Amino acid sequence: AEVGGVGGRRTMVETCYVRCYVGHQGRFGHEFLEFELHPEGILKYANATRYRGEGRIRKEMHLSETVVHEFAKIIRNSHILEGDDRNWPLPDASGKQELEVAIGRDHISFATNQLGSLQEIQTSQDPEGLRNFYYLVQDLKCFVLSLISLHFKVKPI
């Protein structure tokens, strides 16, 4: 899609798809956090836990092209698109993390176990790649949770 640029120039907006899942099967059942950003700017979020009787939280919102562009910028700046999960720990009983990203013509899909500490990352076969993945997932989760907090604020400031 084309949008107006600075000084009347036209710029192309890259398509951006992101799906992130972090979850495990524990004593409270299947607990997970998942979000998915569609190219048209729809962000879907789900969080499920049975801890303290909680249920599933689902949120959906429409994002501006500027916010979608920021997702793409965060991902590109992380250099994750050059990564490879071949030497990462496989998902196991402790849980799994998945990240799928399609930006323009680039498409990646990663899966690894649920990372509990930086020590696990340091002792892995690919500490640099896994560290990039870990911090990108943290950054994306914080960004999504901030957007949800802003969008669904009950009493605006």
Side-chain angles (χ1 to χ4, degrees):
E2 285 192 352
V3 297
V6 177
R9 291 176 301 195
R10 305 291 283 173
T11 56
M12 291 298 289
V13 175
E14 292 181 299
T15 59
C16 181
Y17 171 82
V18 180
R19 181 184 157 276
C20 182
Y21 168 91
V22 179
H24 69 279
Q25 188 73 31
R27 71 180 205 197
F28 298 108
H30 182 209
E31 297 182 301
F32 68 91
L33 178 144
E34 180 176 35
F35 61 86
E36 187 172 31
L37 173 63
H38 294 266
E40 60 276 4
I42 297 171
L43 177 66
K44 296 180 179 181
Y45 169 85
N47 189 341
T49 181
R50 290 202 178 94
Y51 179 70
R52 293 190 177 177
E54 295 289 327
R56 183 172 288 180
I57 299 168
R58 288 186 184 274
K59 303 283 185 188
E60 184 174 317
M61 66 186 103
H62 294 268
L63 304 177
S64 70
E65 288 180 0
T66 303
V67 176
V68 174
H69 175 74
E70 194 61 31
F71 269 95
K73 183 178 165 187
I74 290 168
I75 291 164
R76 288 219 184 272
N77 287 344
S78 75
H79 302 289
I80 198 72
L81 296 171
E82 296 114 40
D84 185 346
D85 65 351
R86 196 173 334 165
N87 293 319
W88 295 1
L90 295 173
D92 58 20
S94 71
K96 69 179 174 179
Q97 293 187 159
E98 298 173 347
L99 178 66
E100 181 179 3
V101 173
I103 300 177
R105 295 179 185 204
D106 295 320
H107 182 254
I108 53 110
S109 184
F110 296 122
T112 188
N113 66 342
Q114 192 164 359
L115 302 168
S117 70
L118 289 174
Q119 181 63 34
E120 286 180 62
I121 293 169
Q122 289 303 110
T123 58
S124 73
Q125 292 179 14
D126 180 16
E128 185 178 341
L130 203 53
R131 188 172 32 259
N132 281 350
F133 173 81
Y134 177 82
Y135 284 125
L136 175 60
V137 168
Q138 295 302 317
D139 289 347
L140 292 175
K141 285 191 321 188
C142 286
F143 191 37
V144 166
L145 293 172
S146 294
L147 290 169
I148 288 169
S149 177
L150 287 170
H151 189 78
F152 293 100
K153 190 170 266 318
V154 176
K155 292 183 180 182
I157 296 173

